[in-house]
Amino acid sequence: MSGRPPRQEDGESAALRQREELSRRIKEQKVVVDELSNLKKNRKVYKQQPNSNIFFLVDRTETLSQCKSNQWQEVPASGIFKIDLKACATTKSLSLTLFPWKYCYTEKAAEETFINVLDQVSKDLPSHIHLGVNESKLCLRAPVIPLNTAIAEASGECAGTNSSNIIHGVSVETLQGFLAEEHKKKLVCRFIDVLSEAVKRRVLCLFRDQDQETREVPSVSRKKAHVAVLFSGGIDSMVIAALADKHVPLEEPVDLLNVAFMMKERAKHKGTSKRHTSLEVQLDLLRPQETCQGLDAKSGAHLSCFDVPDRITGRAGLKELEAINPSRTWNFVEINVTLEELKKMREQRINHLIYPLDTVLDDSIGCAMWFASRGEGFISNQGELKPYKSSAKVVLTGIGADEQLAGYSRHRVCFQKYGLEGLNKELEMELGRISSRNLGRDDRIIGDHGKEARFPFLDEDVVSFLNSLPVSEKADLTLPRGVGEKLILRLAAKELGLTASTVLPKRAVQFGSRIAKLESHREKASDTCSRLKLFSVGEL
């Protein structure tokens, strides 16, 4: 009898200690969540010293590793992950704890967030890595607002536009008609302001050595370029370049990186067997404006072996930018790639960087981006082409515009089949998967040259602004190609003073650069690419 009260007291004390410990840990995690939610932009890692915990995230541009081994996997951008270093040392295994993003703070929404994120993340991680949700089931405030899926009623034609005229002919004047509507113009100006600020953040605060000059072509500019744009002359890269011009110091050049893969011999399609000798190919590389043997059937004019569609639109885009700001030095860098060099560099470097992605599409985009961001090509100096290597350490890309503004042809197909509701679901899915589908690959590819990829269209303020708008304000796929897709961006380009580029239809880089035509493989974009196979040491 004398022993019972102490046992009961011990039990109550133990329960109390457990509650206090649980309360302490919950408070600790809440503090951490609050701190993580309010981290400054571009902060990637938060270290909690007392417990040796490291919290890290993949902010749509980073991956865990850049090693060439095939024993690693990308961590998706689903939230912030924690590694307990003490536990890792004790158990000799890796365990991740996830603090996922969420948009809505109801209990039901939180539970759905955990289920969905765990399912998504677990299937992408190796089986030997354990993933769990933090024990308090705390979520982080999402860095962007959720997508507005409201379907607005048709507002009728905009002032100054005529549907039948638009269907039968697309022109710059078409866009001017939309801008005549006050609401539309205000919306476009707000978009320009938000996107301009995003570009400014990415180009202004850079280390600039005042005494260092461009060495390759000293007479081109007294200063070297610090900012480059992956440049096709299409609507995305044109708007990025035009906005960069507003924030990069005027005396500093801007490099426009334009990549082209050598087109196959045209003559064999014209009834002649004449082919290039190796000397002719070398001369074409040294003088990219020299023409190939073979006539264009439509115009009768000789074409360069590297006059691919993106090269032609790029030169036209250069003229538009020069018209907007003739005081700026625009270095239009013509980057020419032969089949031999493509095969060599893919085997030596590019396939390791694209991994773990492995499709034909990843191969085409990854290779084109690697050569473009390397920046080795030719620029015009007083009418003569001279060798040039871009010194820019920041490379701006237009990725994210198509995914948010219905820029791909598949978006038009989806709209035709399922209407605006189906299009909303497609766009939400596109943005949700962009980190794993595109950004890890692109960051590794560009980073291989010691340069940093920056994505203005994926700035949190830009994404939140676009997410706040109904899809009908961003695109109108009842209108023809060259106007309807990415309509708000085309109107912004028109407002910025751009002309012909504002109505150019979307053309994917693999087709615009002609890399898809360089190797004669009848493949689908989604097929596994045999050319990306990685060999282990034991297989060599």
Side-chain angles (χ1 to χ4, degrees):
M1 186 172 179
S2 61
R4 283 185 177 182
R7 283 200 297 270
Q8 183 178 359
E9 185 177 332
D10 289 345
E12 291 175 352
S13 298
L16 179 61
R17 285 196 299 272
Q18 288 180 349
R19 287 196 297 271
E20 289 176 346
E21 173 65 14
L22 180 60
S23 176
R24 182 190 68 77
R25 294 174 72 174
I26 290 175
K27 287 180 180 178
E28 178 184 88
Q29 289 201 344
K30 284 183 177 180
V31 170
V32 170
V33 167
D34 185 60
E35 290 187 25
L36 294 175
S37 295
N38 291 285
L39 279 180
K40 293 181 179 180
K41 288 185 178 180
N42 300 322
R43 180 83 178 273
K44 307 289 194 308
V45 176
Y46 169 82
K47 187 174 181 181
Q48 191 182 25
Q49 292 284 357
N51 295 325
S52 298
N53 290 324
I54 294 180
F55 298 82
F56 62 95
L57 61 85
V58 182
D59 71 335
R60 305 172 187 83
T61 68
E62 294 292 336
T63 56
L64 270 182
S65 172
Q66 293 186 14
C67 64
K68 292 186 177 181
S69 167
N70 59 357
Q71 299 302 312
W72 66 278
Q73 200 75 16
E74 291 184 346
V75 175
S78 303
I80 290 181
F81 296 82
K82 182 184 81 170
I83 297 178
D84 187 330
L85 298 182
K86 286 184 177 179
C88 288
T90 303
T91 62
K92 306 298 183 183
S93 63
L94 180 61
S95 179
L96 301 180
T97 302
L98 174 64
F99 293 78
W101 306 121
K102 72 171 181 178
Y103 297 108
C104 181
Y105 285 88
T106 66
E107 186 174 341
K108 182 180 178 182
E111 194 64 34
E112 290 177 353
T113 298
F114 284 114
I115 294 172
N116 294 336
V117 171
L118 278 180
D119 286 345
Q120 175 201 344
V121 177
S122 296
K123 70 180 181 181
D124 291 333
L125 291 176
S127 57
H128 63 274
I129 295 181
H130 175 263
L131 174 68
V133 177
N134 65 88
E135 58 189 32
S136 303
K137 290 192 174 182
L138 297 174
C139 294
L140 299 169
R141 183 172 57 252
V144 297
I145 68 172
L147 181 69
N148 181 350
T149 57
I151 299 175
E153 295 183 6
S155 58
E157 292 181 4
C158 295
T161 64
N162 183 290
S163 296
S164 61
N165 288 342
I166 294 176
I167 293 172
H168 290 95
V170 174
S171 67
V172 179
E173 287 70 29
T174 303
L175 299 176
Q176 190 60 51
F178 283 98
L179 290 171
E181 185 189 7
E182 185 178 359
H183 165 73
K184 184 71 74 176
K185 183 157 185 173
K186 285 183 178 179
L187 196 64
V188 168
C189 289
R190 283 174 56 205
F191 177 44
I192 291 174
D193 290 343
V194 175
L195 185 58
S196 179
E197 189 62 30
V199 172
K200 179 181 178 180
R201 277 196 286 267
R202 286 158 176 80
V203 304
L204 199 56
C205 297
L206 304 176
F207 174 76
R208 289 176 162 89
D209 187 346
Q210 300 297 322
D211 298 324
Q212 193 168 1
E213 299 180 357
T214 302
R215 295 177 181 176
E216 287 81 358
V217 189
S219 60
V220 172
S221 173
R222 295 181 60 186
K223 292 200 174 186
K224 70 173 186 177
H226 291 85
V227 174
V229 182
L230 294 184
F231 189 76
S232 67
I235 184 68
D236 306 342
S237 59
M238 286 292 291
V239 169
I240 293 299
L243 291 176
D245 176 55
K246 293 180 176 294
H247 304 296
V248 173
L250 183 59
E251 68 277 6
E252 185 178 301
V254 173
D255 287 347
L256 307 175
L257 308 178
N258 183 274
V259 66
F261 292 82
M262 188 171 68
M263 292 184 286
K264 290 184 176 182
E265 177 58 60
R266 293 169 172 268
K268 63 183 179 182
H269 300 295
K270 315 300 181 208
T272 175
S273 60
K274 187 169 183 180
R275 296 179 179 273
H276 282 297
T277 66
S278 59
L279 176 60
E280 286 175 318
V281 172
Q282 291 174 24
L283 290 174
D284 212 2
L285 283 170
L286 293 174
R287 300 191 303 270
Q289 291 299 306
E290 293 293 322
T291 58
C292 297
Q293 305 297 317
L295 297 172
D296 179 61
K298 293 182 179 180
S299 66
H302 288 276
L303 294 178
S304 165
C305 288
F306 296 100
D307 272 349
V308 300
D310 279 0
R311 180 60 50 79
I312 295 169
T313 54
R315 288 176 185 147
L318 172 65
K319 291 181 179 179
E320 289 189 38
L321 293 173
E322 288 174 336
I324 288 178
N325 187 358
S327 300
R328 167 80 62 192
T329 297
W330 300 98
N331 291 331
F332 183 71
V333 188
E334 301 189 15
I335 300 162
N336 302 321
V337 186
T338 63
L339 178 58
E340 291 72 22
E341 188 178 15
L342 170 62
K343 289 181 176 180
K344 176 184 175 182
M345 299 316 298
R346 178 197 281 128
E347 182 178 351
Q348 289 183 2
R349 304 194 69 86
I350 301 173
N351 59 355
H352 301 289
L353 299 165
I354 293 175
Y355 182 86
L357 304 182
D358 60 0
T359 69
V360 171
L361 182 63
D362 292 312
D363 175 55
S364 296
I365 296 176
C367 289
M369 189 170 290
W370 189 89
F371 283 104
S373 57
R374 184 174 67 168
E376 293 184 9
F378 303 85
I379 61 174
S380 178
N381 180 24
Q382 298 178 347
E384 184 179 359
L385 285 166
K386 296 290 183 84
Y388 179 82
K389 181 174 175 60
S390 174
S391 58
K393 293 299 183 181
V394 167
V395 179
L396 302 177
T397 90
I399 192 168
D402 292 303
E403 288 80 1
Q404 297 182 82
L405 302 176
Y408 293 120
S409 57
R410 61 178 176 267
H411 294 145
R412 193 172 287 272
V413 172
C414 179
F415 171 71
Q416 291 168 349
K417 286 184 177 180
Y418 308 110
L420 289 176
E421 184 176 350
L423 180 60
N424 270 328
K425 291 180 180 178
E426 184 76 9
L427 295 179
E428 188 171 30
M429 180 267 292
E430 295 267 6
L431 192 59
R433 72 182 184 185
I434 196 170
S435 65
S436 58
R437 185 167 176 136
N438 300 91
L439 299 182
R441 176 199 66 209
D442 296 351
D443 187 65
R444 292 190 298 277
I445 288 287
I446 294 174
D448 191 49
H449 304 296
K451 303 182 181 187
E452 183 170 297
R454 297 188 176 178
F455 312 97
F457 285 109
L458 294 175
D459 180 271
E460 292 172 1
D461 293 338
V462 173
V463 174
S464 289
F465 173 77
L466 292 176
N467 277 359
S468 72
L469 304 178
V471 66
S472 56
E473 295 280 19
K474 297 178 281 191
D476 184 351
L477 300 187
T478 63
L479 300 177
R481 291 182 70 236
V483 174
E485 72 278 14
K486 299 188 283 193
L487 178 58
I488 191 171
L489 183 61
R490 297 180 185 281
L491 295 174
K494 180 69 177 68
E495 192 70 10
L496 288 170
L498 299 176
T499 53
S501 61
T502 61
V503 290
L504 285 177
K506 165 70 180 178
R507 185 173 56 236
V509 64
Q510 63 268 32
F511 302 119
S513 68
R514 282 298 188 261
I515 187 174
K517 300 289 186 180
L518 190 56
E519 295 170 293
S520 298
H521 298 278
R522 295 188 176 182
E523 306 160 313
K524 294 181 180 178
S526 57
D527 288 346
T528 299
C529 182
S530 60
R531 299 180 296 282
L532 291 178
K533 182 179 179 182
L534 292 177
F535 295 94
S536 65
V537 175
E539 292 178 291
L540 295 177

